[in-house]
Amino acid sequence: MVCDAADFERRYHLRYVPLAGGDAGAREPWRPALAYLQDAGLDLCAAPALERVSERRLRIVRQMIAGRVQTVPTSSCGRLFDAVSAILDICFENRYEAEAAMELEAAACSTALGLGSFGFDLSDDEIDFRQTFREITTAARNGEPIAVISAKFHSTLARAIGAACGAVRARDGIRIVCLSGGSFQNMRLLEETLALLEGSGFEAFFPLEVPSNDGGLSLGQALIANARMRH
């Protein structure tokens, strides 16, 4: 988003995928995994880990996604992490908030130097990870260690954020970036993104005295309300 305290314009978002079952899609990472696989033109053979789910449940959810029945379009970064975690057979159920994302972060090897990243696309207003999922599933089938795939996924997301920020700077001349939201509680993602942005000439900030997730959101809502009332 390009914003001040009183207004904003949305510049980029993750490509929408249909999340089957609403809240169930947040509890069961294999549901967004199915959505991302189908969006990337992949079938279940691309992710053998999903065979842990019963054939009946898989069939029902696939039909829901294909027919857009009881689904909601999501561009949530949390669901992106959930999908990768399930495809890599790391976590199939969020027993507490962000469990799949936290386990995916923990699974990454200690360094990302020299490991590279996966492909992605950037359009006028959309960050598209379909190529990322094609490459992740290929890497998993070829026996690439989960620790390496997870590290490369984090690097891919950091690069996508950097690319979006670069496009905004080219359009609007903005060099100040604030990183917030629950996904930036992921220290690996935060550190990689900060390093990339600062190396590209941005002045980057992140929350220290308030939470980067819902607590910070509440404070931001109060700030916006105050600015609009003053205006």
Side-chain angles (χ1 to χ4, degrees), residues 112-134:
L113 295 177
L115 295 179
S117 57
F118 300 114
F120 64 91
D121 292 305
L122 200 70
S123 67
D124 291 339
D125 63 351
E126 184 179 82
I127 303 172
D128 182 348
F129 288 112
R130 284 179 292 180
Q131 184 61 28
T132 303
F133 278 91
R134 296 184 190 110

Side-chain angles (χ1 to χ4, degrees), residues 10-179:
R10 193 183 193 192
R11 286 286 192 270
Y12 285 96
H13 61 82
L14 304 191
R15 177 181 169 87
Y16 283 100
V17 296
L19 185 64
D23 288 344
R27 293 192 301 269
E28 299 178 322
W30 61 269
R31 291 177 182 251
L34 271 181
Y36 271 103
L37 287 172
Q38 291 191 206
D39 188 50
L42 301 168
D43 59 25
L44 288 176
C45 295
L50 296 191
E51 293 176 1
R52 290 176 50 187
V53 183
S54 73
E55 184 178 341
R56 177 178 176 274
R57 297 185 77 194
L58 285 173
R59 183 178 68 254
I60 291 172
V61 172
R62 290 176 74 183
Q63 290 173 346
M64 291 169 66
I65 292 170
R68 300 298 195 268
V69 176
Q70 292 185 333
T71 63
V72 292
T74 181
S75 62
S76 165
C77 194
R79 303 294 76 76
L80 177 70
F81 273 92
D82 285 351
V84 176
S85 188
I87 287 169
L88 297 181
D89 200 12
I90 294 172
C91 183
F92 270 68
E93 179 184 3
N94 279 317
R95 294 166 295 180
Y96 51 85
E97 186 175 358
E99 178 181 3
M102 292 168 68
E103 291 189 6
L104 181 62
E105 178 188 6
C109 59
S110 59
T111 181
L113 295 177
L115 295 179
S117 57
F118 300 114
F120 64 91
D121 292 305
L122 200 70
S123 67
D124 291 339
D125 63 351
E126 184 179 82
I127 303 172
D128 182 348
F129 288 112
R130 284 179 292 180
Q131 184 61 28
T132 303
F133 278 91
R134 296 184 190 110
E135 294 181 21
I136 284 175
T137 54
T138 298
R141 287 199 310 272
N142 290 341
E144 191 165 337
I146 288 175
V148 174
I149 297 174
S150 176
K152 289 168 68 175
F153 167 71
H154 283 77
S155 296
T156 302
L157 187 52
R159 283 184 56 235
I161 294 167
C165 290
V168 171
R169 177 171 60 186
R171 173 177 172 177
D172 300 283
I174 295 174
R175 296 180 176 273
I176 297 175
V177 179
C178 296
L179 304 174

Side-chain angles (χ1 to χ4, degrees), residues 201-224:
F202 286 98
E203 189 175 3
F205 296 86
F206 61 95
L208 283 177
E209 298 184 8
V210 297
S212 65
N213 57 357
D214 290 352
L217 178 65
S218 299
L219 179 62
Q221 289 171 329
L223 175 71
I224 292 166

